[in-house]
Amino acid sequence: MTLPIDPTEIDPEDFGEAQTTLEMDHEEAIEHVREVFTDAGFGVPVEFSPSEMLNEKVDADRDPYYVLGACNPAIADRALDATDDKLGALMPCNVVVWEEEPGVQRVYHVSIMRIARLLGMVSDEAAMDELVAETGELVDEAFANL
């Protein structure tokens, strides 16, 4: 399959990539990330461990890997309007924590608002501009506090 774009030519800024490492235990990092994102205005209504599921179901032998589905309901409601409900296919805004090595955790996030724009899902550009700015500030605040 040939992609219509070259992913290597997309600047991570265009899809809102944010990442950092934390020097702490995996479970401690999950709690810390959850707390920091909650303090920044997100709830975490969905969370799960793909590594636990894959290790159990297919004996994958994966290192700890955890997904926190962060959401700000007021922003999510506006984002659905700005995309004619299409953004729901990308929700929630995931923050991933994986163990790079014992005691070192990678925290990773991409902006579903920016991805929706790249995919052409946006019906209200002005509203999406506001949402990208607003969610960007919240994510920046959270990453600054990690």
Side-chain angles (χ1 to χ4, degrees):
M1 175 173 105
T2 303
L3 295 175
I5 59 171
D6 182 352
T8 63
E9 292 183 11
I10 300 174
D11 186 330
E13 177 92 6
D14 291 338
F15 55 88
E17 182 180 70
Q19 60 183 315
T20 191
T21 56
L22 302 174
E23 293 187 13
M24 58 181 67
D25 174 72
H26 187 69
E27 294 299 322
E28 182 183 3
I30 292 167
E31 285 297 318
H32 181 62
V33 170
R34 185 185 301 112
E35 182 179 303
V36 166
F37 271 79
T38 300
D39 289 348
F42 293 94
V44 182
V46 177
E47 52 187 286
F48 62 101
S49 173
S51 60
E52 285 181 15
M53 187 242 340
L54 294 170
N55 290 346
E56 178 184 315
K57 300 290 183 186
V58 296
D59 196 26
D61 193 31
R62 292 203 164 267
D63 291 333
Y65 190 101
Y66 203 81
V67 178
L68 295 147
C71 182
N72 178 301
I75 292 174
D77 183 51
R78 291 171 32 219
L80 286 170
D81 288 342
T83 62
D84 293 333
D85 295 329
K86 294 174 186 167
L87 189 74
L90 299 175
M91 286 180 172
C93 301
N94 290 324
V95 182
V96 183
V97 181
W98 71 79
E99 186 172 75
E100 290 193 334
E101 61 184 75
V104 178
Q105 314 306 316
R106 170 76 53 185
V107 181
Y108 184 82
H109 167 79
V110 295
S111 167
I112 65 170
M113 304 299 175
R114 290 177 182 265
I115 289 172
R117 178 180 283 153
L118 286 172
L119 294 175
M121 298 169 83
V122 177
S123 58
D124 185 338
E125 286 292 336
M128 188 54 78
D129 286 345
E130 290 178 22
L131 291 165
V132 166
E134 192 172 341
T135 56
E137 288 174 11
L138 295 174
V139 169
D140 288 348
E141 175 186 336
F143 269 84
N145 289 315
L146 287 174

